[in-house]
Amino acid sequence: MCHDSECCLVLFLGDCKGTMVFVEQKRNADFIAAFLSEKDYPTTSIHGDREQPEREQALRDFKNNKMKILVATAVAARGLGL
């Protein structure tokens, strides 16, 4: 049994292509994206503190499977068009 939520997330990802993770806070989006990237999961994030070109690049990378995981705040996720 896994008692560490971060550890459990990584254990259950498996083939993570097309995975979207929604979080409430911008800092959590960046933290989770960085954590997963350190574990060799191609991850990007999108939230209101990122500039528009950065958000567009993150979406392109996710849609083109360059980044298999997209971590987004609920506010930033509106109108993603995926």
Side-chain angles (χ1 to χ4, degrees), residues 17 20 24 27 36 42 44-46 60 64-66 68 71 73:
K17 181 180 174 186
M20 297 180 75
E24 290 185 28
R27 67 174 180 234
L36 291 172
T44 189
S45 66
I46 185 171
R60 269 193 304 277
N64 295 329
N65 295 317
K66 182 177 178 183
K68 294 183 177 185
V71 182
T73 58

Side-chain angles (χ1 to χ4, degrees), residues 7-63:
C7 172
C8 289
L9 177 65
V10 172
L11 289 175
F12 290 112
L13 276 176
D15 179 17
C16 56
K17 181 180 174 186
T19 301
M20 297 180 75
V21 178
F22 295 99
V23 297
E24 290 185 28
Q25 298 177 334
K26 296 175 236 181
R27 67 174 180 234
N28 290 343
D30 287 337
F31 175 81
I32 291 170
F35 175 81
L36 291 172
S37 291
E38 289 173 6
K39 302 294 181 188
D40 294 324
Y41 289 96
T43 307
T44 189
S45 66
I46 185 171
H47 54 71
D49 279 355
R50 296 188 74 184
E51 298 292 329
Q52 185 63 29
E54 293 174 311
R55 293 192 296 262
E56 291 171 358
Q57 184 63 51
L59 287 175
R60 269 193 304 277
D61 289 346
F62 182 68
K63 286 180 180 180

